[in-house]
Amino acid sequence: MPNMITKDIDLYYELYGEGAPLMLVAGLASDSQSWQPIVKELSRYYRLIIPDNRGVGRTMPQNVETSIRHITDDCIALIRYMGLSSVNLLGHSMGGFVALDCAIRYPEHVSKLILAGTSACCSERNNALLSDWSSYMESGMNPELWFRNIFYWIFSRRFFEDKEALDNALRFAIEYPYPQTEIGFKNQVNAIKAFDCRDALHTITSETMVICGKEDQLIPPEESTEVLHAIPGAIFSFVEHAGHSIDMEKPMEFINIVRDFLSCREP
């Protein structure tokens, strides 16, 4: 897969499919591989552009200076590098912060905007939670326990009733050949904690869809709706029996919402 070299990083990204360009921006501690449950089906309809954010995956070095603004600028640089005037942009969780920042600062490059499991800033509870996760990693916490602790927040209770799915998710996370470093995770956490675009939401001109998992404990649906309703004309869609990782738990429902919105069909 290709790389784009900038002044401070070697940005890894993956490309799939043909059609209208759709960039997928992952959340905290996640990279291009986090989108695998939906890549095959979505690539039948769109040209998928999926970067590894700075600080994670195969984008190097992981200890580079990191902020939401930096990640946004990386995404915009990639869009321009590919010779594209604009893309449809889908961001999940922290990736939603990036997508919002793109739409606010670079509106000419964002056609339609899709925000999944996200808000415009991090709550004080989540700031504390993310700091704890970073401290647990730095303390040398057993990786299985560390990932389990995160899974309790990002998956619905139904996910834990499927032991095979849980075991597979844990195995993938623990054995992943491109793990995030402690400093990479800490820098992304600090980037999240420093971001707040609530005062600029009213300036967004891109058509916007917000997707919420009804059982999201990390960023509950009411938090998303309360904050993101400030985006002019924003449409909200709620997925039953899904936690924070909506695309992983309910991939087809997620794909159908995305396709309906991008093709202007009724959601």
Side-chain angles (χ1 to χ4, degrees):
M1 289 294 181
N3 292 62
M4 178 188 72
I5 299 175
T6 71
K7 64 180 181 180
D8 59 349
I9 60 169
D10 187 349
L11 182 75
Y12 175 87
Y13 63 99
E14 299 192 347
L15 301 172
Y16 299 91
E18 300 295 337
L22 173 59
M23 178 175 280
L24 310 181
V25 186
L28 171 67
S30 300
D31 61 22
S32 52
Q33 303 313 297
S34 68
W35 298 103
Q36 285 307 306
I38 64 173
V39 163
K40 183 176 180 180
E41 182 67 16
L42 271 185
S43 66
R44 295 175 55 200
Y45 309 99
Y46 309 104
R47 177 63 160 167
L48 301 183
I49 306 163
I50 317 178
D52 281 2
N53 297 326
R54 61 171 58 208
V56 74
R58 280 168 274 188
T59 289
M60 294 295 171
Q62 284 199 18
N63 63 350
V64 70
E65 184 180 359
T66 302
S67 68
I68 298 301
R69 191 179 186 92
H70 279 111
I71 302 172
T72 293
D73 290 344
D74 295 338
C75 291
I76 297 300
L78 179 56
I79 291 169
R80 292 172 176 170
Y81 177 76
M82 294 185 64
L84 300 170
S85 58
S86 64
V87 299
N88 296 310
L89 187 57
L90 193 170
H92 174 254
S93 197
M94 182 191 77
F97 288 8
V98 175
L100 283 166
D101 196 41
C102 285
I104 291 165
R105 294 200 292 123
Y106 299 99
E108 69 278 12
H109 290 311
V110 181
S111 298
K112 289 190 175 184
L113 179 64
I114 304 173
L115 306 169
T118 196
S119 184
C121 62
C122 198
S123 68
E124 287 305 312
R125 182 206 63 177
N126 284 358
N127 281 339
L129 178 66
L130 300 186
S131 293
D132 285 350
W133 288 351
S134 182
S135 296
Y136 298 157
M137 179 182 281
E138 290 179 329
S139 74
M141 186 177 190
N142 177 285
E144 180 174 340
L145 293 179
W146 191 83
F147 282 113
R148 277 184 177 275
N149 185 271
I150 291 179
F151 286 3
Y152 296 140
W153 285 91
I154 66 174
F155 293 124
S156 71
R157 63 179 178 79
R158 289 171 181 261
F159 183 82
F160 288 89
E161 294 169 3
D162 186 339
K163 189 176 185 305
E164 183 178 0
L166 175 61
D167 288 345
N168 288 339
L170 280 170
R171 186 179 306 108
F172 178 85
I174 293 168
E175 297 177 357
Y176 188 56
Y178 308 102
Q180 188 173 35
T181 61
E182 293 175 12
I183 187 62
F185 185 80
K186 184 175 184 178
N187 286 347
Q188 286 194 341
V189 165
N190 289 335
I192 291 170
K193 292 166 64 175
F195 184 74
D196 187 341
C197 70
R198 285 175 292 182
D199 290 345
L201 292 177
H202 71 280
T203 68
I204 293 176
T205 56
S206 302
E207 291 183 56
T208 303
M209 164 66 75
V210 181
I211 308 175
C212 305
K214 280 197 171 182
E215 295 183 31
D216 191 336
Q217 298 182 84
L218 193 63
I219 304 179
E222 58 270 22
E223 182 179 328
S224 287
T225 54
E226 179 182 351
V227 175
L228 299 178
H229 80 278
I231 301 173
I235 301 168
F236 292 81
S237 186
F238 303 91
V239 181
E240 297 278 357
H241 310 307
H244 188 64
S245 294
I246 313 166
D247 60 302
M248 182 174 288
E249 290 201 75
K250 296 291 180 180
M252 285 312 302
E253 289 89 334
F254 189 89
I255 288 166
N256 288 336
I257 293 169
V258 170
R259 289 194 60 214
D260 287 345
F261 176 63
L262 295 182
S263 61
C264 300
R265 296 181 297 190
E266 286 296 321

